Amino acid sequence: MNNQKILVLGANGKTGSRVVERLQKINEVEIRIGSRSTAQPFDWENPETWSAVLQDIDSVYITFQPDLAVPAAAEIIQQFVVLATKLGVQKMVLLSGRGEKEAQICEEIIKNTAKNWTIVRASWFNQNFSESFFLEPILAGFVALPRAEALEPFTDANDIADVVTECLLHDHNNQTYELTGPRLLTFPEAVAEIAKVTHKEIQFQALTLEEYKQMLREYQIPEDHIWLVNYLFEQVLDGRNSHITNDIEKVLGRKPTDFAAYAKETAETGIWNTITV
């Protein structure tokens, strides 16, 4: 582990930022941030930015934006992994989508090209309710979503970051881990958990997928974002992920974080307090 040089892509994201925090506590690791906003920028859409960021790197944590499901992802991942391997990268840890066939195509590219690899699959993060697109509806006290009946093992981003960090630092080569929380919840049940700890009334309205897409268009959400949201709700929430695994416990030696614990801890930060002007 001495003097490892680790590149973290998507270092401003939900898992990337947490991986950086963990690696910063380890003296023997030199971290390089992969982001469009850094002095030496990294941009998935501009391959000319890749080589400089990859120079002298031993291991890479790969998070792809916006999602491995988008049509261009496989070609971009192929180009990146070939270059990274050519430049001497010894290990790649990929954050992949649980139950996403398109993401699995990218997984196979990495398996067939990287010198060593670890695949970390996850689906819906707990933090989508506090750091992403569900935050605003929670603050407004009204959440309207499709697939209200779907059961999802919401996974905590801190658990994912702990697993990724462990895989970067130690030998988990040629392993695929599917990460889940400890129990299945519907979206209305997750919202109810948040309402309970915040002592707020948060209404939930079930929508059809078409109604949800129309609502997003009324809020002038970009079409490429609507496409991705439609994919996630239509494909990934069809029941294929409605089971839990013990992979977090297998890697970390502890139980995964329960959604109720996440909700309680997050409520204490005040992020869900009503914003007043």
Side-chain angles (χ1 to χ4, degrees), residues 60-63 91-95 117-118 120 164 167-168:
V60 182
Y61 175 43
I62 302 173
T63 62
K91 179 191 291 187
M92 302 185 201
V93 178
L94 173 71
L95 179 65
W117 54 266
T118 310
V120 177
V164 168
C167 292
L168 286 167

Side-chain angles (χ1 to χ4, degrees), residues 111-137:
K111 290 179 184 180
N112 293 332
T113 310
K115 292 182 179 178
N116 295 289
W117 54 266
T118 310
I119 307 298
V120 177
R121 294 175 180 164
S123 186
W124 294 88
F125 299 175
N126 293 345
Q127 282 73 13
N128 285 337
F129 292 93
S130 53
E131 301 175 22
S132 193
F133 46 90
F134 296 149
L135 174 58
E136 190 172 334

Side-chain angles (χ1 to χ4, degrees), residues 168-184:
L168 286 167
L169 295 176
H170 301 105
D171 185 358
H172 291 266
N173 294 337
N174 307 331
Q175 298 292 319
T176 298
Y177 296 121
E178 283 206 10
L179 309 187
T180 74
R183 62 185 170 121
L184 297 169

Side-chain angles (χ1 to χ4, degrees), residues 98 151-154 181-186 189 241-244:
R98 187 168 181 251
L151 289 165
E152 176 66 23
F154 294 100
R183 62 185 170 121
L184 297 169
L185 289 167
T186 64
E189 288 170 342
N241 287 336
S242 295
H243 60 278
I244 62 174

Side-chain angles (χ1 to χ4, degrees), residues 15 31 66-67 83 90 138 147 157 160 163 179-180 213 264:
T15 65
I31 309 164
D67 193 277
L83 176 63
Q90 298 298 307
I138 292 290
R147 297 287 198 183
I160 298 168
V163 169
L179 309 187
T180 74
K213 288 191 291 184
K264 182 177 184 296

Side-chain angles (χ1 to χ4, degrees), residues 1-8 18-31 58-61 91-93 118 120 161-173 177 251-252:
M1 196 174 76
N2 289 343
N3 302 317
Q4 271 205 71
K5 295 182 179 179
I6 299 178
L7 170 63
V8 178
R18 288 170 166 85
V19 170
V20 169
E21 287 176 7
R22 284 152 176 77
L23 293 175
Q24 284 174 336
K25 298 174 183 178
I26 301 168
N27 294 330
E28 298 86 356
V29 169
E30 180 181 326
I31 309 164
D58 300 309
S59 303
V60 182
Y61 175 43
K91 179 191 291 187
M92 302 185 201
V93 178
T118 310
V120 177
D162 284 343
V163 169
V164 168
T165 302
E166 167 66 22
C167 292
L168 286 167
L169 295 176
H170 301 105
D171 185 358
H172 291 266
N173 294 337
Y177 296 121
V251 175
L252 301 178

Side-chain angles (χ1 to χ4, degrees), residues 39 59 66 108 111 127 134 200 216 225 244 274-275 277:
S59 303
E108 291 304 313
K111 290 179 184 180
Q127 282 73 13
F134 296 149
K200 290 175 58 175
L216 294 178
H225 182 83
I244 62 174
T274 302
I275 298 174
V277 179

